[in-house]
Amino acid sequence: MITVENLIKSYNSLRVLDGVCHAQERGEAVVIIGPSGCGKSTFLRCLNQLETPDSGRITINGTTVAAGSGAGNEEEQLRRGLRLSAGMVFQSFNLFPHLTALENVTQAPIVVKGESRSQAETRALQLLAKVGLESKAAAYPAQLSGGQQQRVAIARALAMQPLVMLFDEPTSALDPELRDEVLQVMRQLAEEGMTMIVVTHEMQFARDMADRVLFFEGGRILEAGTPDQIFLNPQQERTKEFLRKVAVR
Amino acid sequence: MSFRQWPVALFVAAFSIAAYGADHLQEIRQRGVLLWGADAEGGAPYVYPDPEKPDRLIGFECELAEALAGKLGVKARMVQNQWDQLIPALERGDFDVILNGLEITPQNRQRVAMSRPYYVYAQQIVTRKESHGMTSMDELKGKSVGVLSGSAASRLDGLRVCDLRTYPGNVQSFQDLKAHRIEAVVLDLPIALYYAKPDTELKFSGAAFAPGYYGIGIRKEDTTLLAALNQAIQELAEDRTLERIYIKCGLWDERQASLKEYKAEQIAESKRISTLREWPKYLPMLLRAAAITVGLSIIAMALAIVAGLVIVLLRLYSVAPLRWLARAYVEVVRGTPLLIQLFLLYYGLPQIGIKLNAFLAGILGLGLNYAASEAENYRAGIQSIPSGQSEAALALGMTRWQTTRHIILPQAVRVVIPPVTNDFIAMFKDSSIVSVISMVELTKMYGILALSTYDFLGLGLMTAAIYFGLSYPASIFAHWLEKRLRYVK
């Protein structure tokens, strides 16, 4: 369902993505690990076009965007097509502070899909219940803990009924005791068969939930495999070194 | 000397020092030059640059000054000074005398000594050729009438029931009369004779009325100078030098004959006016003018808020040529004085056939000027919203415009309320600048009343109280709005 061909992205002279290729089936949960600055976040942001790659092609569910295809209206429509099939959860939550939790979830369905308010609210309440926050529907983001905010952000992304969920280090900004409530929601999604790409440092989550683990290094996928292959029997020296450091931490 | 008498003693001491350095006649004779203060800007026929040779001043007061100086045995030299600031400048010692159509009125006599009159002026109503009626003050009631700022006409009680417009110079008032922006101009006869008489589009409407005297203004302590000048004027009247000068300048009429027989008692002594004590007379006039200030500021600010939004959206989100235009607009408007913009709108546009009335020109001038600042306020507000906000919105599939409309602007509004409120309060006070395009708003009304009563203090306190009474609620409202719009209530 997702195909990425030879993705390249540079910031000035720094090459952040150096020819990334990736293919993913519907229902597959992929976890990306790797040292900071290895390009894993940029890869995720390229997938829903928050970053524009220099070259390469991205296809999600039949919609293809080729890099360097210009900034015309038609291309912009294609980019929005990618974004509509991919939901994104950010490290810093990025909830809309002027809207309540409920409004955060209903805003895009109403504005983008033209849903009626009541229809959007009914589903938003279901989604908030799903992430365990039905009682916080009327709260503003500033009144919620980090973990609660991130769970609202997940509900917000799910409200657009995306085909794939992209998680960009969703627990990195959270205190350790708040991480579990977010990971719990993500586990549930994976078990329900949601197609996911998760960039994270949560190795336990990767082991338990990933169908496939990608190890990023220097803008490339250095090693890929099942959790067992990567965690128990890594082939590359850099992978071993990284896992040692993470384990010590 | 008791403690309580100290202030009195200091006061007396200060006065005797002034009196000691006082009599300037000696000094003028030693110097060989009489410095006379006047305003040559639009000063015809009193004193003005010769149209043939602009570096030379002419006018009947020039000739009079030379004749007077001749009597004192010295030369005359004119010192340029803005007309409505001549008395403060005289008090400051910038020149020896004021010789520039200064009326002998109780109010002027409170601050300076006035010589015997050298000219008898009267008020003249001037209208367009085709106008009917308006031959007396009574018939001007409710009509829009232009006067020169600070002139004798602007103090006529009868004009208080007119739609009064004040002008910085004489040329502008006649321009507006011809442009049908006002119905009549009331002004001193000599000015009317010079500007309006030769103009075929205008006519004198009714006979001249409300005669008064021009005299020379002298510092009160200069008693010997006063005596010498009175003597000189009398001699010039008796030897018909005045008559000769006035006939030459086309200003002679039968009224001038009375100059020879003038007795000082003819003009009543002044009585001090306290506008605070007589507030029921003055406060309503100030309040009516304040209504214009409020109306003007509110409409202009509404325009600025909307136009500023359009400008910032073009600047941040539109295609290249529009983006440059929006940016150029902000830079040009901020880089030129509001005064010039108002002059262009009001006096400049009629040259290409666009005649805006003063209120509309004021609104456009203030509104479009402030639109540039509001656009910059918005830009700062929009750019203060973290990029994560628009990323989140875009990731949800919103278009650029939906992101701006639903996510960025609602947050930016909260950020820009304080600076926009500041601008509103500033506009409130800045709006007084529209007096240059003839509007009489609060500050201008203060000026008119203060110049006619010389109670700058009492009227100033009333005016300041009105401004504060209007702007303080505005800042309370802004605080309330800020609080209300906070995310968490």
Side-chain angles (χ1 to χ4, degrees), chain A residues 10 17 32 48 60 113 116 118 151 159 164 204-205 210 249:
Chain A
S10 302
L17 294 180
I32 302 178
N48 73 348
I60 300 180
K113 291 191 168 170
S116 72
S118 61
R151 286 188 278 153
V164 51
Q204 192 59 47
F205 178 83
R249 201 178 56 172

Side-chain angles (χ1 to χ4, degrees), chain B residues 183-206:
Chain B
E183 292 305 310
V185 174
V186 180
L187 73 170
D188 289 10
L189 187 55
I191 310 175
L193 286 169
Y194 183 84
Y195 283 102
K197 193 90 187 186
D199 196 319
T200 54
E201 290 177 58
L202 304 174
K203 70 172 178 197
F204 281 18
S205 184

